[in-house]
Amino acid sequence: MFTRDQHLYLQYEVYDAARGKNPAAAAGTNTAANSSANAVANGAANSAANGNANPPSSDAAKTPPSKAPKDSVRVFTSIEFLQGGMKVYESKPIVANEVTAPDRKAVIFQIDLPLQALKPGFYVCQVNVVDDVAGNFAFPRSPILVKEAAPQAASTAPTGK
């Protein structure tokens, strides 16, 4: 359960992503999926294409793009919120072109989604993960409840004399 004034923080890892020639990695992608603690890279949370006037946003959109090595991984991820069988929010894809935890052979994604643009209600949060080189994918889902933020109560602390 979340309130609209909270953030949904997601961290997940993709293990053993396939390596291969990656011709599409040259333009506009991030080389590190966790380039910031708020890694909704390349403006992933700035998607108004689905009718959201004020979708969640992130500071990581300022991360500069760079080229990936030819023999690299290419893992896409995005976040969706579904309500009543309809998609009400989808982030732009985040692209990782390198293994960020070599000791575990993992690509780490850390995403911060402010929830103020979502109306109170039940949602299904779907995490989309695609290993583009291997052709593997996963779409885990989890239900969440977003409630209205609690009203700010006036301070009832007694004043000292």
Side-chain angles (χ1 to χ4, degrees), residues 4 6-8 40 45 55-58 81 112-118:
R4 293 182 67 207
Q6 291 180 310
H7 290 238
L8 175 61
V40 185
S57 63
S58 170
F81 287 98
D112 171 12
L113 293 172
L115 299 173
Q116 72 264 13
L118 296 176

Side-chain angles (χ1 to χ4, degrees), residues 32-158:
N34 63 342
S35 60
S36 104
N38 298 328
V40 185
N42 295 328
N46 293 328
S47 172
N50 294 310
N52 290 326
N54 297 311
S57 63
S58 170
D59 295 332
K62 300 171 189 167
T63 306
S66 60
K67 289 188 175 185
K70 286 183 181 179
D71 190 32
S72 65
V73 300
R74 185 163 168 87
V75 180
F76 292 88
T77 191
S78 66
I79 308 299
E80 292 181 7
F81 287 98
L82 308 163
Q83 189 176 49
M86 294 185 61
K87 186 184 332 180
V88 294
Y89 170 77
E90 181 177 8
S91 68
K92 292 181 182 177
I94 300 168
V95 181
N97 291 314
E98 66 184 32
V99 173
T100 52
D103 56 324
R104 296 189 312 271
K105 298 179 184 175
V107 177
I108 302 171
F109 291 98
Q110 295 176 336
I111 301 173
D112 171 12
L113 293 172
L115 299 173
Q116 72 264 13
L118 296 176
K119 295 178 182 175
F122 287 99
Y123 292 88
V124 173
C125 178
Q126 176 173 303
V127 178
N128 304 317
V129 180
V130 177
D131 182 341
D132 197 33
V133 176
N136 295 335
F137 51 86
F139 305 103
R141 292 180 170 190
S142 181
I144 68 167
L145 172 63
V146 177
K147 295 179 88 174
E148 193 61 55
Q152 295 290 336
S155 178
T156 57

